[in-house]
Amino acid sequence: MLKNIPPILGPDLLGILRAMGHGDEIAIVDANYPADSAGPVLVRLDGISATDVLDAVLTLMPLDDFVDEPVLTMQTVGDAGKREPVVDAFDTIVRKHEPKMGVSSLERFAFYDRVKKAYAIVQTGERRLYGNILLKKGIIRPDA
C-alpha cells in the first residue's frame, strides 16, 4: 500500500498512468464494452464501477487543457442528445478534479474507433449502460 493513492489503482494501472504522455488517451469502459478485441493494453477491474475508477484515475492524472474536448463519452444510440445518468455522474467527478472541464460525447462507432487508438483500456464491472469515458492526459506545470 502507498499513501494518497486510491487502493483500486493496482500496479499495472499505475504503471500505465505514469508511462502515458501528454495527449495520450485512456478509456474507462463498462462491463459490456468489447474491450478485449479493441486492441490497446487492457486492465480489468471487474466488480468496480466506472465512476469509482474515474475518480481514482483523476486523483493522479491531469486532463489536457490544450484541447476543446479532453473528456468524451459515448452518445446514446438513436438519441444523441439524451444524457444517461452515468454521464451526469462522470461530469460531476470530472468537475470535482478539473472545475473548468466537463464531458463531451461521440457517436457510438466514432467512440469505438477512438478507443482503438488509445494508450490503454480499463474495463470495469460497470453495469449502467453507456458507462464509457475517454480521457486525454494533460500536463503538470512547473511551480511558479
Side-chain angles (χ1 to χ4, degrees):
M1 295 291 291
L2 298 170
K3 292 181 178 182
N4 303 319
I5 295 177
I8 64 173
L9 300 179
D12 294 336
L13 185 50
L14 286 171
I16 287 167
L17 293 172
R18 177 63 179 97
M20 288 173 62
H22 178 218
D24 283 338
E25 294 182 332
I26 188 166
I28 300 169
V29 299
D30 63 27
N32 291 306
Y33 196 91
D36 203 40
S37 63
V41 172
L42 176 62
V43 175
R44 295 192 63 102
L45 293 179
D46 298 312
I48 302 174
S49 72
T51 47
D52 285 349
V53 174
L54 175 64
D55 192 40
V57 166
L58 291 182
T59 298
L60 303 176
M61 190 184 90
L63 292 173
D64 194 341
D65 60 2
F66 291 113
V67 297
D68 292 333
E69 297 178 325
V71 181
L72 294 165
T73 60
M74 183 187 292
Q75 292 174 354
T76 302
V77 174
D79 189 354
K82 181 178 180 185
R83 190 163 162 143
E84 298 291 333
V86 70
V87 175
D88 289 332
F90 286 153
D91 192 60
T92 298
I93 294 164
V94 167
R95 290 177 190 280
K96 172 181 139 183
H97 293 280
E98 303 275 359
K100 296 180 182 178
M101 295 185 185
V103 300
S104 300
S105 66
L106 281 177
E107 182 273 331
R108 175 183 173 207
F109 291 107
F111 188 90
Y112 285 158
D113 288 342
R114 185 83 168 258
V115 170
K116 287 178 183 176
K117 298 174 191 165
Y119 190 92
I121 300 172
V122 180
Q123 184 148 41
T124 68
E126 181 63 64
R127 297 196 55 206
R128 290 174 284 184
L129 299 179
Y130 299 97
N132 308 301
I133 191 163
L134 187 63
L135 310 170
K136 185 178 286 284
K137 188 175 182 182
I139 62 166
I140 297 174
R141 289 179 169 76
D143 294 331

